[in-house]
Amino acid sequence: MSGKLNLDHRSVEEARVIAKEIAEEVDHFISARSTVSIERTVLRLFGVDGVHDDIPLPNIVVDGLLDAGVLHRGVAFWLCNAIVQTGKTPQEVAELVAKKELSLVDLPVTSEEAVYRTGERLQDAMLDKIFSHRKLRDHYIKKLSEGRKPYLYLIVATGDIYEDVTQARSAARLGADIIAVIRSTGQSLFDFVPYGATREGYGGTYATQENFRIMRAALDEVGEEVGRYIRLCNYCSGLCMPEIAAMGAMERLDVMLNDALYGILFRDINMQRTLIDQAFSRMINSYAGIIINTGEDNYLTTADAVESAHTVLASQFINEQFALLSGLPETQMGLGHAFEMNPELEDGLLLEIAQAQMAREIFPNAPLKYMPPTKHMTGNIFLGHIQDALFNLVSIVTGQGIQLLGMMTEAMHTPHMHDRQLSIENAQYIFRNARHLQDEILFRPDGRIQRRAHTVLTKAVYLLREVKKKSLFTALEEGIFADVKRSRAGGKGLSGVIKRSVDYWNPFECGLRERLQLSIRGEEG
Amino acid sequence: MSGKLNLDHRSVEEARVIAKEIAEEVDHFISARSTVSIERTVLRLFGVDGVHDDIPLPNIVVDGLLDAGVLHRGVAFWLCNAIVQTGKTPQEVAELVAKKELSLVDLPVTSEEAVYRTGERLQDAMLDKIFSHRKLRDHYIKKLSEGRKPYLYLIVATGDIYEDVTQARSAARLGADIIAVIRSTGQSLFDFVPYGATREGYGGTYATQENFRIMRAALDEVGEEVGRYIRLCNYCSGLCMPEIAAMGAMERLDVMLNDALYGILFRDINMQRTLIDQAFSRMINSYAGIIINTGEDNYLTTADAVESAHTVLASQFINEQFALLSGLPETQMGLGHAFEMNPELEDGLLLEIAQAQMAREIFPNAPLKYMPPTKHMTGNIFLGHIQDALFNLVSIVTGQGIQLLGMMTEAMHTPHMHDRQLSIENAQYIFRNARHLQDEILFRPDGRIQRRAHTVLTKAVYLLREVKKKSLFTALEEGIFADVKRSRAGGKGLSGVIKRSVDYWNPFECGLRERLQLSIRGEEG
Amino acid sequence: MTIDWSRIRPYGDTLDDGAMQLSFSLPVPYGEEAREAAKQLVGKMGLIESQVYHMKDLGEGYTYFILYANCTHSVDFSKIHVPKVEAPIMGFEEINQYIRKHIKRKIIVLGACTGTDAHTVGIDAIMNMKGYHGEYGLERYPEIDAYNLGSQVDNEDLIEKAIAYRADVLLVSQIVTQKEVHVTNLTELVELLEAEGMRDRFILICGGPRIHHELALELGFDAGFGPGTLAPEVASYFSQELARRKGLV
Amino acid sequence: MTIDWSRIRPYGDTLDDGAMQLSFSLPVPYGEEAREAAKQLVGKMGLIESQVYHMKDLGEGYTYFILYANCTHSVDFSKIHVPKVEAPIMGFEEINQYIRKHIKRKIIVLGACTGTDAHTVGIDAIMNMKGYHGEYGLERYPEIDAYNLGSQVDNEDLIEKAIAYRADVLLVSQIVTQKEVHVTNLTELVELLEAEGMRDRFILICGGPRIHHELALELGFDAGFGPGTLAPEVASYFSQELARRKGLV
Ligand code: B12
Ligand code: B12
Ligand SMILES: Cc1ncc(COP(=O)(O)O)c(C=O)c1O
Ligand SMILES: Cc1ncc(COP(=O)(O)O)c(C=O)c1O
């Protein structure tokens, strides 16, 4: 840590302590609950996939148990019992259930021990498989090398996975390090994951396991050609958060947007539901070696970047603690922030440098995800291109980890093929020309930049104290982040939350906790 | 001086001392000579204007005296004698000469004293008039205000003075502080100044006194409307350097490109001719309160910006001394330099910052003229626009005086109307957003930026020592600047150089020396 | 340099030079043939003296071009007529007074961002207390009862609420326009209202970055507002329109 | 997504979407009518679904536009043929060997930047010892006698020197292209040579940022070279062409 800002380390520590308390309180609540999507995730991790009459098998099975009023015990128990009873594979069992040829609850339970043993065996096999993907990634990176930080993160969003592939391969050839496939508008509100290769989305392409596979294969291929491992990113958020985490772990995704607060604030997803989902999904991401991206950048699309800068920092502190509770190491915490200063501001760049440098110093090991100007982008593509240039400059001067490249057409459409080229060129030009500027510049003691960072930190600590006092749920109800208010029981997906019974069993959670060396948490709440 | 670079002040002083010696040696040479264009300037300052059979009257009169072999005494003597003898105005005398109705050399000289008195009276009246223009400028600036530094300097170059006016007025409304009317390609090689309003030029518009007047009036008008004094710039270089200086002084231009070295190196103008012309033209510019711009920026269009950075600095030192010898104050020395680092370079921005900051610290009172990327601009307008953005950033971070705005279409054409708008927007955006960044950043002691500045300074001192040793003329012959070699007797215009006789008389030079409080220089050489 | 309004052409630095900048990609491999293809294409568009100033290989058999050329077409500016919202724009106080004087009761306004669109900043800018760009939103107007239903609101729900609240005015925001989804959403609303015979009960207004008045009229709305709209423009319009419809002015 | 080579259209993010970006100014005052004028203009160019995304008042009655639209035209890529310099490109050593083997004497080359054009960097890049982009210039070639006459050279002077030096090859650089001055200059040279019956005595080559082979042929030159040219490309061409003309290969 270079300490260019002369930050008050006691404030930073205090913030961490409070954030930890805030997160633990929520975790306490979480630990007593599961959700339909966590249970579907369990099925997916057991290998259940496919659809019946267009409905995903995991949904059919889980909904059946929910209707039967027995989901509180966890889907694993019922599935594994069926396996024990029928000798069939999880997939076969699910298919029979879908065809209504088998009823899980009607099967006798002959040996709970056999059930648990079956679950653990399957669990072990899957986690080993996930681990092998992680190894393969490491192997690729070693063999091919990887991009220099800040990684160039580019989105594709045509709605058609095959068109996405063309665009992604083009981007990789031009210099992209990470390709993110944006999801179709609205997918995060689906309480199921679409199936198969898809060619029709709105402002993005559906996240399906087959689409993951298609893109992964394409990027591996082009990565070999350009001699650089190309990371793949998708969105592990919305009502199917943990399912997508599982799919990503199985298909060797490398980066996942994964932040309950985003869903609450910007998708009106019920806060209980998504915080519960998040805890489990982060364990999966952690174990799969996936870098998560949090969504604090979004706050500044509705709130003002000058006034609300401290809310971003406060939320990063909370997200860090949530991540730690799921065993996610700092090196996988792509905490989000954004370059959203109003370009009309005098000295906006100074404020921006202060914020980015502060995040860098406070989270020294996190591959910070830095988002480009979006809110203040207009139809003026020429001005937009230089807004993005300053964004790139701040990034290289403050050592960010992941550079989500801005596009000059941000205010118009998801990127055209050449928009991506121009934005890669922009970043490469700026990064190259200012490569070591970070080493060379210092900030005047107690000057505008240092003072700004101090102010933001101080306000973040105040805010955290307040959140702590009233609990995160209440704070969200009061609209503390992003100027958005959400009620505890409002939003989408609350009906999918289930209280765990005492005999609740999720072998993957247990397995992950073990492998991640997380302590088993208390069960009340 | 902020001293951010920790420059060695003894080196700076040494450079100044050597540069002074170099310039004095040349001045010694100059003081014994005049040129046809200086003599034509004298006529113009006496009020002679207009053309006869498309040939400017000043040319007809001066060429006549040259042919008659009496120009060594200076045109003033012959003209004033004619005035004394005929009782006519300078203009009437010139017209009669043109019509061959009067021969200056054939008139009797009845009283030399009367001749000198006449010349001095007319001289005094003209210099008073020039001074009143200067006052008027001050008055306007006080009344209307002026742009904030760095001034936004925009070019117009349609070839048609009326089209230029439209473009200039548009630029002024959009934020331009200085409008430069680029000259038609090749005008600098004309040994006469074109006459009247012109509508047909190549890559620029002819510099004529009428065109000056038209543009001055247009800018005064739009300046009143936008509440900002808009400065007018033209090119006081080439074979008619001093004539244009006089025209500029008479028409209240505010800025003049004025650098003999540019003409020598880039227009192949004879070095003796243009250095003699320069000395007189700078006196005029000085007294008229005109900011001159020197052309060191051009060196980097033929030589490499990394390797030849020190030649720019060395030349600035020399140009400073030439200016001082003509009584031009530091506050009117728009010493030139340029952002011409190859964009493919790693850390090019660091080198650029070093150079610009160094110029700032070494010439603290000069309104440094900073030129945009040109050589490395390509047909990629989007990349070009961000090259210009970095250029603007370096300028605001290092406190430059005059920002010649870069255009994204630099590699294609002289600017289209909206190119200018976009580049103003670019500069305004960057300047505003980084307004006080200069106050906030420091450079790491002995880091890349500081070391680069030291190296350049050291090399400039070496170079100056070498130039001093062999004289400026020889150095130019050896191709010391811009990788261009020019011979002492080569190039255009040597035949227009005349040796002054002992009774040579140029009342304007005398008057200017007096008003500028310059000592009378030695007369041999 | 007098301009012939009936034959307006683009301007670079000389009247009628036709100067235009273009950029686009073609699905053809990088090379001289690609350059020629780009030039032929703009030739078909009626552009002459085209210059490909920049070409970039995008890989995968695609090439990007930056091109300048001169347009030979012209437009008759003297014949252009653009429909605009006609109501004069009043200020905050004036609007409230107008409502008090002419409508004599509060105007009930419902706003929503419909479909799967979750972009609330635009509708909030018009409705929220704190407003936007220094102008209060409708919620602050004493003579307006404004209800902001937020984002992702189904057209059916909106209509239901409109009936329940006895709304005078519906404000519909549409920001996402990919695959013309805004047109689909807006058209659906009008069709639903017409199907239920309720189209005339409401002043129907839409807005968003790609909306303009002319499009709104085409889609069957009463008015449309584009980027940079401020609350008073909208309130001026609907209060005067309501007064007119009710025969109060 | 198989491409129909006979009907190539611009590509944004979906094959054949026709996506294009344009920018230009019109000599009309800023406003809704200006926007409509811009849209009508691109309509005439065969563009549909146009969106003016940005408009800026330039003052003085001018307005600037940034616009996206979809192009309805297509080009037949399968029919495109572009004339190119055919000679295979050799390296420094190879060229010298070739000359030694086939021509058996030094080739005499004269270069100049003609007219009032003072841009020497381009011709220097081809001719100077130190060369350009890591490639030596012609002056360094042992089998080539290269004379660089520099800038601002009159066509007459060039011809005079060409005769005096008994040149085989003339290299003419033209950088300034405003008002097509390069075309004028180059055409004049060819005409002068033809008038004096000397056109066939020289291999005539021109170059510059706006020059390409096809244009050179049109202007009566033997070859033309554009941006980014390196010395070996030029030397490969003229040594092989000279050998061919002299019947030596
Ligand atoms: C902020 C933002 C978000 C925020 C939204 C937060 C929120 N609560 O609103 C977040 C981060 C959540 C978000 C998410 C997404 N976004 Co978004 N987002 C933007 C962004 C950056 C700014 C929009 C904005 O707030 N503008 C400021 C407001 C004040 O302007 P405005 O909306 O135009 O409103 C004004 C006028 O239009 C008018 N107006 C608007 N509505 C109405 C209604 C009435 C009745 C009236 C009278 C006037 C009126 O008045 C307003 C004030 O002047 C734009 C890019 C950009 N710079 O425009 C992309 C953009 C709109 N988003 C886009 C997309 C695709 C998405 C996603 C769908 C991406 C994805 N696949 O995940 C998601 C999902 C959201 C969804 N389902 O809708 C695209 C839309 C592309 C298109 N043309 O269809 C854009 C253009 C970005 C891009 N290039 O891809 N986004
Ligand atoms: C450097 C430069 C100058 C320098 C020139 C120094 C010098 N000794 O050459 C200086 C500062 C003196 C200058 C002055 C002017 N310039 Co100037 N200049 C440029 C600049 C920045 C770069 C040109 C360059 O060096 N390119 C690098 C070389 C290597 O590339 P190249 O020339 O294309 O050459 C390559 C190929 O084309 C080819 N090639 C070139 N010639 C030949 C010949 C043969 C036989 C072959 C085989 C190949 C070949 O091979 C070369 C190597 O690959 C350009 C803008 C730009 N970025 O392009 C403007 C530019 C060329 N200049 C321009 C203008 C108008 C002028 C002035 C006329 C302005 C004025 N009115 O005062 C003056 C006057 C000069 C004059 N009379 O010609 C315009 C031309 C506009 C146009 N299209 O007509 C430009 C485009 C800038 C602009 N936007 O206004 N300029
Ligand atoms: C953390 C996070 N998750 C998810 C998303 C995408 O949201 P959705 O797929 O719900 O549209 C974003 C969008 O920027 C985000 O920042
Ligand atoms: C100092 C100086 N003088 C004059 C000029 C213009 O030269 P000319 O008018 O000779 O083309 C320039 C061009 O950049 C210059 O820098």
Side-chain angles (χ1 to χ4, degrees), chain A residues 182-186 202-204 262 266-267 298 301-302 374-378 409-414, chain C residues 116-123 125-126 132 152 171-178 205-210 225-230 234:
Chain A
I182 304 284
R183 282 196 297 183
S184 177
T185 314
Y202 296 89
Y262 169 82
F266 297 94
R267 289 320 216 142
N298 297 286
T301 64
T302 47
T374 60
K375 177 158 98 174
H376 296 289
M377 294 293 279
T378 66
T409 52
E410 172 65 32
M412 311 169 183
H413 48 240
T414 47
Chain C
T116 55
D117 203 328
H119 292 86
T120 53
V121 180
I123 187 76
I126 306 295
Y132 181 64
Q152 306 178 120
L171 299 180
V172 184
S173 181
Q174 284 286 282
I175 312 302
V176 177
T177 60
Q178 229 116 10
I205 302 175
C206 57
R210 299 288 89 80
F225 292 86
T229 307
L230 298 175
V234 187

Side-chain angles (χ1 to χ4, degrees), chain A residues 183 188 235 237 257-259 262 267 293-295 297-298:
Chain A
R183 282 196 297 183
S188 48
Y235 290 71
S237 66
L257 285 265
N258 180 223
D259 188 353
Y262 169 82
R267 289 320 216 142
N293 288 344
T294 62
D297 44 282
N298 297 286

Side-chain angles (χ1 to χ4, degrees), chain A residues 10-11 19 69 203 240 276 362 408 432 449 454 482 497 499 516:
Chain A
R10 277 160 318 174
S11 298
C240 296
I276 300 167
I362 293 178
M408 59 184 194
R432 183 173 58 245
I449 292 176
H454 297 189
V497 173
K499 265 223 138 205
L516 294 169

Side-chain angles (χ1 to χ4, degrees), chain B residues 7-27:
Chain B
L7 289 174
D8 175 9
H9 285 277
R10 276 159 320 173
S11 298
V12 175
E13 265 157 52
E14 185 187 345
R16 281 221 159 78
V17 170
I18 306 174
K20 187 160 186 238
E21 291 166 3
I22 295 169
E24 276 170 350
E25 194 192 323
V26 175
D27 198 54

Side-chain angles (χ1 to χ4, degrees), chain A residues 239-484:
Chain A
L239 291 175
C240 296
M241 193 188 262
E243 288 179 87
I244 296 196
M247 286 159 45
M250 292 187 278
E251 304 305 336
R252 190 166 32 86
L253 268 73
D254 309 284
V255 184
M256 283 282 194
L257 285 265
N258 180 223
D259 188 353
L261 291 170
Y262 169 82
I264 298 165
L265 299 169
F266 297 94
R267 289 320 216 142
D268 198 11
I269 292 175
N270 176 266
M271 55 179 87
Q272 306 179 35
R273 162 73 177 263
T274 190
L275 282 162
I276 300 167
D277 282 345
Q278 173 176 279
F280 186 46
S281 65
R282 284 197 180 172
M283 288 179 207
I284 300 173
N285 285 329
S286 172
Y287 190 63
I290 287 175
I291 294 172
I292 65 159
N293 288 344
T294 62
E296 283 84 359
D297 44 282
N298 297 286
Y299 299 178
L300 305 181
T301 64
T302 47
D304 179 73
V306 178
E307 279 165 33
S308 303
H310 65 290
T311 66
V312 169
L313 178 60
S315 175
Q316 288 170 329
F317 275 119
I318 295 174
N319 249 323
E320 178 186 44
Q321 294 305 322
F322 276 136
L324 290 173
L325 285 172
S326 286
L328 195 103
E330 285 177 51
T331 49
Q332 286 170 235
M333 287 181 202
L335 299 171
H337 62 136
F339 183 105
E340 290 282 19
M341 289 295 160
N342 186 332
E344 295 302 319
L345 268 186
E346 184 163 279
D347 285 331
L349 186 65
L350 281 67
L351 303 184
E352 215 33 84
I353 290 174
Q355 184 84 8
Q357 179 68 24
M358 182 186 65
R360 180 67 296 158
E361 296 190 9
I362 293 178
F363 307 103
N365 304 314
L368 296 174
K369 174 195 70 159
Y370 197 26
M371 293 286 285
T374 60
K375 177 158 98 174
H376 296 289
M377 294 293 279
T378 66
N380 183 349
I381 52 176
F382 295 103
L383 181 60
H385 208 47
I386 59 175
Q387 291 172 254
D388 286 336
L390 283 196
F391 161 64
N392 289 328
L393 186 75
V394 173
S395 181
I396 191 76
V397 164
T398 58
Q400 302 299 307
I402 295 177
Q403 185 76 350
L404 195 141
L405 291 193
M407 303 277 159
M408 59 184 194
T409 52
E410 172 65 32
M412 311 169 183
H413 48 240
T414 47
H416 288 171
M417 196 177 215
H418 42 257
D419 294 342
R420 231 173 266 112
Q421 189 270 316
L422 293 170
S423 76
I424 291 174
E425 182 175 83
N426 185 329
Q428 288 177 336
Y429 167 67
I430 303 282
F431 288 178
R432 183 173 58 245
N433 266 273
R435 182 61 70 185
H436 297 98
L437 192 54
Q438 187 183 11
D439 303 346
E440 299 307 325
I441 61 170
L442 308 172
F443 304 122
R444 182 164 62 87
D446 205 32
R448 289 177 181 82
I449 292 176
Q450 287 201 356
R451 286 200 311 268
R452 169 69 182 171
H454 297 189
T455 308
V456 173
L457 174 57
T458 309
K459 285 173 82 178
V461 174
Y462 275 114
L463 182 68
L464 285 166
R465 284 196 203 126
E466 218 186 302
V467 173
K468 166 75 185 55
K469 221 182 299 164
K470 41 179 78 141
S471 93
L472 182 61
F473 287 133
T474 312
L476 288 168
E477 293 192 309
E478 293 181 0
I480 216 137
F481 295 123
D483 286 354
V484 177

